[in-house]
Amino acid sequence: MELVCGCYEQVLFGFAVHREPGASGQNEKWTPVANFTHHGHAASLSAVAVNNRFVVTGSKDETIHIYDMKKKVEHGALLHHNGTINCLKFFGNGHLISGGDDGLICVWDAKKWDCLKSIKAHKGHVTSLSVHPSGKLALSVGTDKTLRTWNLIEGRSAFIKNIKQNAHIVEWSPGGEKYIVVTMNKIDIYQLETASITGTITTGKRISSVAFISDSILAVAGDEEIVRLFDCDSLKCLCEFKAHENRVKDICSFEVAEHHVIVTASSDGFIKMWRHNPNKKTPPSLLCEVNTKARLTCLGVWLDKVAHTKDQLPPTAAPSPVKEEQEFKTSPPKSDDSEGKQQQSKKFGWTKDSKKPTKAESPMTVKKRKMEGARFQA
């Protein structure tokens, strides 16, 4: 298990979490240990996503970087967007979806890293997207005050709903029967079957991040140090706890035996892991914490799950040994923008004097680099 977190200082942190049996009658001991830092982007990190092998990061430098967590090398970069990368989501282990300030949603093959589809999704920025657990549908919101439903099987828009404000978060529940849309400090809960709002949760501060703990329990973090757990059916706050000394920037959760784990990242530089018992209404208890001494922006948990045979990388797509420079070719993506113009895949190259990609005549090239060993001051 590894915590990965991005920050304003352009660095990606990785912390391996070691679990040790507790003493007689004591809970299991969790300890985060610095594993790597990597300075691959030329601007602050804005999004992170993980699957069973890769971690991908998006940045204000308009690029998406890919990291092979098995080999601890930078695997390449995706350069199709023109603008900040605001959201990244894997669905299954075979595909990645990205959204950015350019209004595009791109669907990527997460094995060969080709851009399979490039859609002009919103007239403004794409602020958030979420993939249904079935992998057949996706939702997106943007600065054009719309909520859009996408048919991922056919790669087209399925439904457009006008909303009164610009939403900045959209998220499916784990079971896919409901979804939530966040605008400022308000959370609207929708039922998939009726596509109508069944309830609304309002907080005192702007909401920065949400995470479903279960189909009915939602963790909500905002521009404050408090995290609250809400029941999506009764709309009541089940409990709240002070998680940090500054605003919480990102939150995620996963399940282990007998309890759920909530992970929070804050502007105060700390990443914290919390144990939550869903059968009790008591606040979560602290499992462990680590101070990165950076202004954190985005968070992910790499669980190192064993891939099923059908999800494993085929030999032809597997990363080759580290070379000084390796070609990383992309084919022209299909386009579905409103003007009907076909968008060609851009060709970029890395220069030795700069971390920022620059236009070039040759296909996109990348350099695989060993992630730097982490060095943290006490």
Side-chain angles (χ1 to χ4, degrees):
M1 181 191 306
E2 195 145 345
L3 305 176
V4 289
C5 200
C7 63
Y8 283 110
E9 290 79 8
Q10 309 171 11
V11 174
L12 177 68
F13 296 98
F15 295 90
V17 179
H18 300 307
R19 300 168 61 179
E20 301 174 0
S24 179
Q26 299 294 319
N27 290 322
E28 188 179 41
K29 183 180 180 181
W30 293 42
T31 307
V33 178
N35 191 20
F36 70 86
T37 61
H38 187 67
H39 191 168
H41 285 284
S44 61
L45 276 70
S46 50
V48 63
V50 301
N51 70 359
N52 66 4
R53 177 159 188 169
F54 296 103
V55 168
V56 294
T57 57
S59 169
K60 290 187 176 181
D61 66 7
E62 306 181 357
T63 68
I64 301 168
H65 283 215
I66 311 161
Y67 305 94
D68 187 327
M69 295 297 288
K70 301 284 189 182
K71 297 189 175 184
K72 291 295 187 294
V73 295
E74 183 176 353
H75 188 66
L78 307 176
L79 305 167
H80 186 68
H81 285 280
N82 285 315
T84 298
I85 311 299
N86 294 321
C87 37
L88 294 166
K89 298 286 183 180
F90 279 106
F91 61 101
N93 290 311
H95 296 86
L96 172 73
I97 299 186
S98 61
D101 277 2
D102 53 7
L104 293 180
I105 288 178
C106 296
V107 180
W108 304 89
D109 181 332
K111 295 178 180 178
K112 297 181 179 179
W113 299 106
D114 294 334
C115 184
L116 303 176
K117 190 78 172 179
S118 178
I119 305 168
K120 181 63 177 177
H122 290 268
K123 294 180 180 179
H125 304 166
V126 178
T127 53
S128 179
L129 57 84
S130 182
V131 180
H132 190 269
S134 68
K136 296 179 181 180
L137 294 174
L139 296 170
S140 68
V141 291
T143 55
D144 55 1
K145 299 181 181 180
T146 64
L147 165 65
R148 296 175 184 252
T149 305
W150 302 95
N151 182 329
L152 294 180
I153 302 299
E154 299 180 9
R156 62 176 178 81
S157 175
F159 184 74
I160 301 174
K161 179 179 177 62
N162 292 313
I163 51 181
K164 295 180 180 180
Q165 291 179 289
N166 289 329
H168 60 282
I169 300 174
V170 62
E171 191 72 37
W172 285 103
S173 66
E177 295 179 356
K178 63 172 69 78
Y179 55 92
I180 56 110
V181 176
V182 180
T183 56
M184 295 300 292
N185 66 329
K186 184 181 70 170
I187 304 171
D188 288 327
I189 303 170
Y190 290 78
Q191 283 296 132
L192 173 61
E193 187 175 350
T194 60
S196 60
I197 298 175
T198 59
T200 299
I201 296 170
T202 304
T203 64
K205 301 276 183 130
R206 182 184 184 274
I207 296 166
S208 59
S209 183
V210 298
F212 276 97
I213 309 301
S214 66
D215 276 322
S216 59
I217 300 177
L218 183 70
V220 180
D223 288 347
E224 56 182 340
E225 66 275 13
I226 303 296
V227 173
R228 296 178 176 86
L229 304 185
F230 287 92
D231 187 309
C232 293
D233 298 322
S234 67
L235 307 179
K236 293 181 179 179
C237 180
L238 301 176
C239 66
E240 65 178 52
F241 60 101
K242 182 179 179 180
H244 293 272
E245 296 299 323
N246 208 327
R247 59 182 177 174
V248 180
K249 293 292 291 184
D250 205 355
I251 185 170
C252 58
S253 73
F254 60 95
E255 189 174 353
V256 295
E258 299 180 353
H259 64 268
H260 291 85
V261 176
I262 300 171
V263 190
T264 57
S266 168
S267 298
D268 64 11
F270 277 87
I271 307 172
K272 298 186 180 184
M273 303 184 77
W274 308 83
R275 178 190 288 109
H276 172 62
N277 188 334
N279 298 320
K280 297 181 180 179
K281 294 185 179 181
T282 55
S285 58
L286 183 65
L287 276 169
C288 61
E289 63 181 23
V290 61
N291 187 4
T292 66
K293 299 183 179 180
R295 296 172 296 163
L296 303 180
T297 57
C298 51
L299 172 69
V301 181
W302 183 68
L303 296 175
D304 193 15
K305 292 181 179 178
V306 177
H308 297 295
T309 302
K310 64 180 181 180
D311 291 327
Q312 291 179 346
L313 290 174
T316 55
S320 58
V322 178
K323 297 179 181 178
E324 186 63 23
E325 190 173 55
Q326 177 192 354
E327 284 197 345
F328 189 81
K329 299 179 180 179
T330 58
S331 58
K334 299 176 183 178
S335 177
D336 189 30
D337 71 12
S338 57
E339 296 179 358
K341 297 179 180 179
Q342 184 177 3
Q343 297 197 7
Q344 296 295 325
S345 173
K346 298 178 180 178
K347 297 180 179 179
F348 293 85
W350 291 93
T351 64
K352 294 183 179 179
D353 299 327
S354 173
K355 294 179 182 178
K356 295 185 71 174
T358 55
K359 292 185 179 180
E361 296 298 324
S362 59
M364 182 174 72
T365 58
V366 299
K367 182 187 293 185
K368 291 186 181 179
R369 294 170 291 184
K370 287 283 184 182
M371 296 185 185
E372 301 170 19
R375 297 288 187 273
F376 294 98
Q377 298 179 354

